[in-house]
Amino acid sequence: MPEKKFNIGVIGTNDDAWKNLVRLVRNHPQFGLTYLVDATSRKYNQTPPSGLDLIFISLPPDASPAFVDKIGPRTRIVDLGTDFCGENTEWVDGLADIYPDRIRGQTRVIVPGCYFTGALIALAPILVPKKMEWRHENLISHSSSGVTGADISSETDEQSAGHSKVASDCSNVDHFHAKEMGRLIECLSGGCQDSSPKSHSPLIHLSSVNLTTCFLEGSLDAEVCFGLAQDFYKNNPLVRVSIRPAHKEKVDGSNLAVISYASPPQETVAFSSIARHGKGGAGHAIQNANLMLGLEANMGLTGAIVAPKS
């Protein structure tokens, strides 16, 4: 068996996302898992060993900064949490399908969650080329996910969460999701929006899949949208542009994103479907790590199940 090229560390909370990330690292042809820590263990407070090429961090809110402070500047970090989101110039948004060149060679990358990723992958082909004018109050992003989505900690029992969180929403513009969505969309469009789009994120039992629908005021013909998307993702095997509604395509168990478009009167609608622990989590983290380390973006992510199926 050929020797693994990169020494990789993983620290997390022994939840589904962490377990899936560990499995992907172990199965990666160029990653050697040399440092593995459950955040509930005694090793959590120890300084990571020198010689790590990259470390993945998957911790609850407010837990990452103290650990990051112990990591040397030469060790690359991929953070799956939210602690470094916002106007932090040391960290790069891990939009691996949209801006891969911005991630190559970086040392600090944040992986957007499933809500952000699902919406932005569908919106990017329209907003990056600036094919239509838009304002924050005229954009609605509706994402439906499973019970391990927003605001449910890794300590929450999934069954009880399913009963207590079904159909709750994050539509308040002061909610983190709405604010962060506004910032990331601003990055896509190069605009200077001063507020957040409406972000509605109900938690319903969809198991492993995240479904997103984005409504933009102003009509851009669906055929134009399909053409823009096919051109935007023409060299990306991890995003599929589908004539069928994206929500009808199978994505669970993969790092694939499927997107589609519709153009009802006076409106443009963008759809996406991703696996929460694939493109919405661990799979996307591996994709970012590949780019940071100079590897092919899809290495270790094709020809295998990268996220638990429903």
Side-chain angles (χ1 to χ4, degrees):
M1 181 178 293
E3 184 178 352
K4 299 296 180 87
K5 184 175 182 181
F6 297 104
N7 293 319
I8 305 296
V10 180
I11 179 168
T13 53
N14 200 27
D15 56 8
D16 287 344
W18 182 77
K19 291 175 181 177
N20 194 46
L21 183 58
V22 169
R23 183 168 56 82
L24 288 176
V25 170
R26 283 179 169 154
N27 291 335
H28 195 286
Q30 289 293 317
F31 290 175
L33 184 59
T34 58
Y35 180 67
L36 178 61
V37 174
D38 178 351
T40 61
S41 72
R42 295 179 181 179
K43 292 183 179 180
Y44 174 55
N45 292 320
Q46 295 179 4
T47 301
S50 60
L52 287 176
D53 294 294
L54 183 143
I55 186 167
F56 294 96
I57 301 177
S58 181
L59 293 171
D62 302 322
S64 292
F67 190 80
V68 167
D69 288 343
K70 301 175 182 178
I71 301 173
R74 294 186 179 181
T75 299
R76 302 165 183 85
I77 304 174
V78 176
D79 185 48
L80 284 78
T82 59
D83 289 339
F84 300 104
C85 294
E87 303 301 327
N88 191 322
T89 57
E90 294 183 5
W91 292 79
V92 175
D93 295 309
L95 301 172
D97 295 291
I98 299 170
Y99 291 127
D101 290 340
R102 293 186 184 179
I103 298 165
R104 291 188 176 96
Q106 295 292 336
T107 60
R108 301 290 185 269
V109 169
I110 314 159
V111 179
C114 57
Y115 294 137
F116 309 128
T117 299
L120 296 171
I121 284 179
L123 290 172
I126 302 172
L127 298 184
V128 171
K130 299 183 180 179
K131 291 296 182 179
M132 65 183 302
E133 296 294 329
W134 69 281
R135 290 188 57 80
H136 60 267
E137 64 266 25
N138 297 333
L139 169 61
I140 297 175
S141 173
H142 177 100
S143 294
S144 300
S145 182
V147 296
T148 58
D151 295 335
I152 299 179
S153 72
S154 58
E155 297 178 356
T156 305
D157 175 76
E158 181 165 342
Q159 184 175 1
S160 62
H163 286 90
S164 64
K165 285 289 185 177
V166 166
S168 69
D169 76 72
C170 309
S171 55
N172 188 324
V173 294
D174 289 327
H175 190 278
F176 168 77
H177 278 166
K179 289 183 177 180
E180 185 66 0
M181 185 75 78
R183 184 186 69 80
L184 291 172
I185 289 175
E186 180 181 332
C187 292
L188 289 187
S189 62
C192 53
Q193 304 298 331
D194 57 2
S195 187
S196 304
K198 297 178 180 70
S199 176
H200 179 239
S201 307
L203 301 173
I204 59 178
H205 194 73
L206 295 174
S207 187
S208 63
V209 177
N210 174 272
L211 307 177
T212 297
T213 305
C214 298
F215 303 88
L216 297 94
E217 186 175 306
S219 183
L220 187 63
D221 188 80
E223 290 189 8
V224 174
C225 294
F226 281 114
L228 290 169
Q230 288 167 348
D231 183 66
F232 195 87
Y233 294 117
K234 62 184 176 183
N235 296 318
N236 189 336
L238 298 175
V239 179
R240 180 192 302 159
V241 182
S242 175
I243 300 299
R244 296 181 62 203
H247 297 178
K248 293 186 178 180
E249 297 284 348
K250 295 291 186 182
V251 297
D252 55 335
S254 76
N255 193 52
L256 181 68
V258 178
I259 59 175
S260 61
Y261 300 90
S263 52
Q266 308 302 315
E267 201 168 41
T268 301
V269 186
F271 306 92
S272 76
S273 180
I274 62 174
R276 286 186 300 114
H277 293 308
K279 185 69 74 180
H284 203 188
I286 296 290
Q287 191 176 345
N288 276 280
N290 285 338
L291 292 170
M292 295 166 73
L293 294 168
L295 302 172
E296 292 294 326
N298 63 348
M299 183 174 285
L301 295 172
T302 58
I305 301 214
V306 301
K309 285 191 175 183
S310 55

